[in-house]
Amino acid sequence: MIAETTHGSLTFSTIEPGSGLDAALKRPPADALRRIESSGLRGRGGAGFPTSLKWDLAIKSPGEYKYVICNADEGEPGTFKDRVILSDFADLVFEGMTIGAFVIGAKHGIVYLRGEYAYLRAHLETVLRRRRAQNLLGKKIRGQDGFDFDIEIRMGAGAYVCGEETALIESLEGQRGEPRNRPPFPIDTGYLGNPTIVNNVETFAWVVCILAKGAKWFKEIGTKKSTGLKLFSVSGDCRKPGVYEFPMGITVAKLLEEVGGEGAKAVQVGGAAGQCVPASQFDRSIAFEDVPTGGSIIVFGPQRDMLRVAENFLEFFADESCGQCTPCRYGTPKLIEGVKMLQQGRCSMQYLHELCSLGETMQLASKCGLGQMAPNAFLSIVDHFQDEILGRAGRG
Amino acid sequence: MLVTEQERLRDDLVKMADRFGRDRSALMPILQELKRTRYHISEYSMQVIADLLDIHPVEVSSVVSFYSFLEDKPQGQFVIRLCRTIACDMRGADHVARQLVNDLGIEFGETTPDGKFTLGWANCLGMCDQGPAMLVNEKVYTQVTPEKVHAILDECRGTFGMHATADKER
Ligand SMILES: Cc1cc2nc3c(=O)[nH]c(=O)nc-3n(C[C@H](O)[C@H](O)[C@H](O)COP(=O)(O)O)c2cc1C
Ligand code: SF4
Ligand code: FES
C-alpha cells in the first residue's frame, strides 16, 4: 500500500502468526507472565514501564470484566513505526493482545487507532476476521475451555493528548480526551471503571516474539536496564530515513552512521516530548537509563535553525494541549513568545532565564505528560545552542 | 422540504445508535459515522444524538468541540490537511501550503465557495520519512511537491460521485 521504507530485516517478519500464542497456551497464564518478566520487556510507547509489572497489577486488581487496550494513537512527532507494524505485522499486535487477555483474564480488547490512520482500518478488520476464522480470536480460542476474547477497533479523532492512557480511556467512554489524575491507574479503574492494561502497539508485538523465541534471547540483547530490540522511526536530515530495528542502548553516533546522518549537529530523540542531543553528546546511548525514546529520531543537519525547531515543537504542544490546567495552557504560549523574541534578537539573558524557570515549573506542575514534556525541547535547545540563539540580528 | 431532510437525518442517526449502541461510549463512533457520511455535525444532529443517548446536548457539543476531526462547521467534500510538524516543515511543507492556497483560492481554515474543499493543517501524520505529507479525507499523500498539488486537486475533482474514502488497495 504505502511505500514503506523499512531497513534491514525486522525480527517481526520471522515470527509465524500463532506461534507465540500457542507457546503461551501450553502452560498456565502465570508462566507466560513469568517469561515476559524475565525478558525484561519495558513499554515501547515511551515511558518504559515494565510490561510484566503492569499486567501483574491488573491480574491482582479485582474485577470480573478486564480490558486489554492497544494504544495505536501514535501522535508523537517523528514516530511512524506503529503505522508500519500495523500495516505489515497486524497479526503480531492482535496476538500480543490475545496473550495479554490470557494472562490477565480479559474477554474484551480494543485497538484505539488514531483518526489519521483511518486508511489502515479496512486492513485491520480483514486480519481480525481471518484470526476469528482461525480460532485465534473468539470463543474457546485454540480449543481452550473458557478462553474467550475478541478485539474491536475504535477510532480517535485527531487529538494527540488521547495517546495519554487516561485521556484515551476518557475518549473511549465518549468524553473529551482530558487526562485524569493518576493514581488511580487504569490497571485499577480503567475502561468503564474496570481493570485495564494499556500498551503500545510495538509492546504487544514484542510479547509475541518473546514467547515464540524465548525470554533469554530477548534479555541478552540491549543493556541491563533496557533489554531487547526496538523499532526506530528515523526522519530529518539523513540519507536513509525510515523504520529501523536496533538493539536498545545503541549510541546516537552509531545510529547516525546506519541511517546516513553523519555530520548532523543535533538529534531530537523521543519526538517533540523528548530531548535534543547535540553533537558533543553523540556518544550517549538510547536507553531508558540514558536518553529514553518511544522510537522517534529526527536528525538536524548543520544548516538547521534550532530556534525554528523549538518554535515548531512548542506550537505543536500549544495546539494539542487540552487546556485543563494552567501551567500547560499559559506556559507554552509564553515560551513561544520568548522564541519569537529570540528570533528578533530582543531577548535579554535575564528574560531567557525566566523562560527557563517557567519551563521547569511546567515540568513539575502540569497535570499530565504533555505539559510536563512540552518545555523539554526548548530547554535542551537553550542549553546546548546558546551561541546560536542569542544576539540574533533579528528577522523583523 | 426541510422537514423531510431532518427526518431523514434523524432516521440515519437512529440507525447509527442501533448499530453502535446507546451507551455514552457509543458517542464517538456515532459522531464519526455522521461526519463521514454527511461532512457536518449540525446543532440539530447533536440534539438528536443527545436524545438517543439520554445525555444533555451540551455534553455532545463539548465533545465535538474537543476533537479536531469533529467539526461543527460544514466541511467541504474534500478536507485537506497538510502536516505542519517539524519533519515535513524541514522538507518544504510551506511551499506546498502556498501552492494549495494559490490553487484553491482560499486560506487555511476556509472552505471553497462551491463546498468542494476545506483547507486545514494537521500535526504529524506519521509519514515523517516521506514528507511533506497531507491527508485528503482518509487518504494520505506523501512527498507532496508544489507541482503535485494541482494533480491531487484534479484527482479529487474527478472523483466520481461523492466522498473519496480510503480505497487504498493493498
Ligand atoms: C501526551 C501523551 C501522549 C502519548 N501518546 C502515546 C501514543 O501515541 N502511543 C503510546 O503507545 N503511548 C503514548 N503515551 C504513553 C501512554 O500514556 C502509555 O504510557 C503507554 O500507552 C503505555 O504503553 P507501553 O507501556 O506499552 O509503552 C502518551 C503519553 C502522553 C503523556
Ligand atoms: S498538562 Fe496540558 S494536556 Fe495535560 S492535562 Fe494539563 S492542559 Fe491538559
Ligand atoms: S512531521 Fe509530517 S508526517 Fe510527521
Side-chain angles (χ1 to χ4, degrees):
Chain A
M1 67 192 278
I2 295 144
E4 304 284 12
T5 31
T6 316
H7 296 280
S9 60
L10 302 182
T11 303
F12 295 163
S13 62
T14 67
I15 305 290
E16 199 56 44
S19 60
L21 181 61
D22 286 340
L25 291 180
K26 272 197 214 119
R27 292 183 224 158
D31 197 80
L33 183 70
R34 225 168 8 249
R35 271 182 280 173
I36 297 165
E37 185 186 349
S38 67
S39 76
L41 176 65
R42 294 170 65 170
R44 278 355 191 194
F49 193 82
T51 305
S52 61
L53 186 54
K54 185 182 289 186
W55 292 16
D56 195 31
L57 291 168
I59 296 172
K60 291 180 178 136
S61 178
E64 194 185 339
Y65 297 101
K66 299 189 179 179
Y67 289 86
V68 176
I69 293 181
C70 172
N71 189 340
D73 199 47
E74 187 163 65
E76 191 59 54
T79 315
F80 43 94
K81 46 106 188 160
D82 291 347
R83 184 198 88 230
V84 171
I85 299 171
L86 291 165
S87 338
D88 294 356
F89 309 106
D91 264 301
L92 296 189
V93 180
F94 298 144
E95 189 154 323
M97 293 175 71
T98 312
I99 294 169
F102 177 65
V103 169
I104 72 161
K107 301 226 172 309
H108 195 80
I110 301 173
V111 176
Y112 187 87
L113 183 67
R114 70 188 302 222
E116 290 84 345
Y117 289 173
Y119 53 84
L120 290 176
R121 183 170 185 164
H123 162 61
L124 295 176
E125 298 280 9
T126 308
V127 176
L128 283 177
R129 273 196 299 276
R130 178 172 46 66
R131 288 186 74 85
R132 282 181 202 118
Q134 293 170 322
N135 190 225
L136 293 164
L137 282 176
K139 297 246 184 280
K140 277 209 221 177
I141 292 174
R142 285 298 211 219
Q144 287 247 338
D145 263 330
F147 182 30
D148 305 341
F149 177 70
D150 212 327
I151 296 173
E152 130 189 52
I153 296 171
R154 298 277 297 269
M155 301 302 301
Y160 164 73
V161 71
C162 287
E164 196 280 336
E165 56 187 17
T166 61
L168 186 156
I169 290 169
E170 287 286 312
S171 176
L172 284 175
E173 291 177 354
Q175 307 284 348
R176 292 162 67 89
E178 290 171 351
R180 302 174 180 168
N181 279 317
R182 301 179 330 152
F185 294 100
I187 43 115
D188 286 320
T189 52
Y191 184 54
L192 305 174
N194 299 296
T196 301
I197 54 170
V198 181
N199 281 110
N200 175 254
V201 171
E202 187 187 344
T203 309
F204 283 118
W206 285 120
V207 162
V208 181
C209 300
I210 288 164
L211 283 156
K213 291 172 76 91
K216 192 160 168 286
W217 157 77
F218 195 80
K219 197 187 166 73
E220 281 170 359
I221 307 169
T223 71
K224 228 182 161 127
K225 287 188 176 145
S226 310
T227 58
L229 294 154
K230 169 93 190 77
L231 295 201
F232 290 84
S233 319
V234 181
S235 64
D237 298 316
C238 60
R239 289 192 307 281
K240 294 180 287 176
V243 169
Y244 289 79
E245 177 179 287
F246 292 130
M248 291 295 289
I250 186 173
T251 62
V252 178
K254 174 81 178 130
L255 187 148
L256 283 173
E257 202 180 291
E258 297 280 340
V259 307
E262 304 92 340
K265 82 168 174 194
V267 174
Q268 181 75 20
V269 181
Q275 51 177 306
C276 189
V277 180
S280 60
Q281 298 182 10
F282 282 175
D283 58 340
R284 293 181 67 182
S285 56
I286 302 175
F288 297 115
E289 65 272 24
D290 193 354
V291 191
T293 182
S296 166
I297 301 285
I298 307 172
V299 184
F300 302 121
Q303 77 289 5
R304 288 296 160 196
D305 176 355
M306 297 313 287
L307 264 187
R308 175 151 180 152
V309 172
E311 182 185 24
N312 188 284
F313 285 151
L314 287 170
E315 277 169 350
F316 169 80
F317 288 117
D319 196 44
E320 296 290 354
S321 165
C322 82
Q324 223 190 141
C325 67
T326 321
C328 173
R329 187 173 65 237
Y330 290 116
T332 313
K334 208 73 203 158
L335 294 183
I336 294 177
E337 248 177 65
V339 169
K340 297 228 150 83
M341 287 172 72
L342 284 162
Q343 283 169 346
Q344 293 159 0
R346 293 194 294 111
C347 186
S348 69
M349 196 63 172
Q350 193 196 339
Y351 192 63
L352 187 62
H353 284 314
E354 280 171 31
L355 289 173
C356 290
S357 75
L358 169 67
E360 283 154 19
T361 306
M362 289 170 66
Q363 288 175 329
L364 294 172
S366 296
K367 179 169 172 182
C368 86
L370 190 151
Q372 289 158 11
M373 299 185 293
N376 289 0
F378 171 80
L379 291 174
S380 51
I381 286 172
V382 169
D383 201 19
H384 301 309
F385 296 96
Q386 289 220 348
D387 288 347
E388 181 182 323
I389 65 177
L390 280 170
R392 292 209 174 187
R395 296 204 302 228
Chain B
M1 196 48 201
L2 196 67
V3 177
T4 49
E5 170 51 27
Q6 284 201 345
E7 273 169 4
R8 223 169 344 173
L9 175 57
R10 177 167 242 293
D11 285 350
D12 278 4
L13 288 168
V14 170
K15 277 192 210 113
M16 288 177 209
D18 289 342
R19 180 170 152 209
F20 297 114
R22 282 160 205 254
D23 300 330
R24 176 76 194 237
S25 61
L27 179 56
M28 291 278 287
I30 292 174
L31 290 169
Q32 285 161 337
E33 182 67 9
L34 173 65
K35 207 210 110 178
R36 200 180 66 78
T37 49
R38 291 184 172 249
Y39 328 129
H40 183 197
I41 300 173
S42 62
E43 287 266 335
Y44 174 74
S45 55
M46 289 195 247
Q47 178 73 54
V48 176
I49 293 169
D51 288 347
L52 288 168
L53 302 188
D54 197 19
I55 52 181
H56 198 281
V58 168
E59 295 271 323
V60 180
S61 67
S62 132
V63 166
V64 169
S65 71
F66 184 85
Y67 294 95
S68 58
F69 282 17
L70 300 175
E71 303 86 350
D72 52 6
K73 277 192 300 184
Q75 299 287 296
Q77 196 180 335
F78 297 95
V79 179
I80 300 175
R81 298 174 206 270
L82 177 66
C83 174
R84 62 175 159 194
T85 308
I86 190 72
C88 291
D89 182 69
M90 286 163 62
R91 283 167 164 255
D94 51 341
H95 293 270
V96 176
R98 274 276 97 221
Q99 199 56 39
L100 283 165
V101 167
N102 291 342
D103 283 0
L104 290 170
I106 53 170
E107 294 297 324
F108 277 74
E110 294 179 355
T111 299
T112 53
D114 62 1
K116 271 249 170 220
F117 295 99
T118 298
L119 181 58
W121 295 109
N123 290 325
C124 182
L125 295 171
M127 285 290 170
C128 329
D129 56 335
Q130 304 164 58
M134 181 168 110
L135 270 184
V136 180
N137 293 344
E138 294 183 355
K139 190 168 174 180
V140 68
Y141 292 86
T142 56
Q143 290 170 337
V144 182
T145 56
E147 303 92 89
K148 281 191 198 160
V149 163
H150 183 75
I152 293 170
L153 297 181
D154 259 5
E155 188 187 322
C156 296
R157 289 193 184 99
T159 305
F160 190 72
M162 339 181 318
H163 214 56
T165 35
D167 307 319
K168 283 225 140 244
E169 64 301 342
R170 283 187 58 86

